[in-house]
Amino acid sequence: MHELGIAQSIMQIVLSEAERARARKVLNVTVKVGELAGVLPDSLTFCFNLLAKSTIAEHAALTIEKIPVRGYCSECQSKFIIEDNRYWCTTCGNKQIELISGRELQIGQLEIEDETD
Amino acid sequence: MKQIDVQKDILSSNEAIAGENSTLFSRKGIYVLNLMSSPGAGKTTLLERTIELLKDTLQLGVIEGDIATSYDADRIKAHGVPVTQINTGGACHLDSTMIKNALSVFDLDLLDLLIIENVGNLVCPAEFNLGEDAKVMVLSVTEGEDKPLKYPLMFRLSRALVINKVDLLPHTNCSLEKIIEDATSLNPGLSIFETSCTQMTGLNAWKAWLEKEIHAKRTRSNADG
């Protein structure tokens, strides 16, 4: 539901990084999206393409990498993937766990074309 | 072709301003609540009851977030509490810059408690920190017992859950036990209150929790100088 705002933030970062690198064109943008972030990939791509119009990112592809929800148990030091909202340690059953991934909303890499291309 | 390794949080600018807000609130010793729920769960009514319970002993301020209208702010104003309305004009959540810009209407030196009523929505508000001390969720029993598992992030991030409209339980097939069980499995540290804001039940426990939180923050702020 908030994909437009997120796409705006992505575009801001992409354009400023691309400008700094003297890019002529942005070819690809990789973003990491945690399963808990509540972001719909199709909707994010739609908003991204909309905002990219008339910028150097106009024909850029958006590659969305989904990150699973993972937990860490401080009792038994195990790390595990959380599925179907089972927010407890799969080894010892402890419920006081730390989330170590799943909330990501991060830009990974940009692929650009610069003056040398 | 060239590759740039960016590795940047998409919401980093929101986080940075939220950090500034939080520093300002701590310096002024103001406890800040971010109140979230779906539309119609009873946030504004809970807020009105909370104001009635606390306004004689504490200085309160309220920020109302809505997509459109000032209906909620008008209701709060009637209680004689400073209030400002943010209309997001379509956006489904408040962000930290909106809060920063809204603060100018308050005398921050006087405030003890600032309550921010977020836009009614169980998804997006959870993602955007505002600089608050605690996120508090209101869930009404008429929404159904399936909500914690459908909207896990908000339940995971909230410090407290107010289950509202419990007087309507006999008229629904909602299981209070199931809500509590699922919410606690998502977030074992969650403080849970069962209230009816029309029948005025369960509100004293909520008031006591808030007073304890406010007191703890004030002690921390004083200690930090």
Side-chain angles (χ1 to χ4, degrees), chain B residues 47 51 60-64 76 81-84 106 114-115 117:
Chain B
L47 195 47
I51 291 169
L60 276 73
V62 174
I63 297 177
E64 281 290 343
I76 301 303
V81 163
V83 55
T84 186
F106 300 104
L114 176 66
I115 304 181
E117 183 180 337

Side-chain angles (χ1 to χ4, degrees), chain A residues 28-81:
Chain A
N28 188 66
V29 178
T30 308
V31 294
K32 295 177 191 170
V33 176
E35 298 277 3
L36 261 185
V39 169
L40 296 173
D42 286 351
S43 170
L44 186 62
T45 305
F46 176 82
C47 296
F48 177 83
N49 291 339
L50 200 74
L51 295 169
K53 290 231 163 72
S54 316
T55 73
I56 56 169
E58 173 142 20
H59 300 290
L62 185 70
T63 307
I64 298 173
E65 196 184 318
K66 280 271 192 183
I67 311 285
V69 185
R70 287 165 62 238
Y72 170 74
C73 172
S74 54
E75 291 287 318
C76 71
Q77 274 85 44
S78 61
K79 289 179 184 171
F80 44 90
I81 289 188

Side-chain angles (χ1 to χ4, degrees), chain B residues 13-37:
Chain B
S13 54
N14 185 70
E15 287 297 316
I17 306 285
E20 286 175 24
N21 290 347
S22 166
T23 306
L24 176 65
F25 296 142
S26 290
R27 210 175 58 229
K28 301 285 184 187
I30 305 169
Y31 185 82
V32 182
L33 268 195
N34 180 0
L35 198 59
M36 306 180 295
S37 81

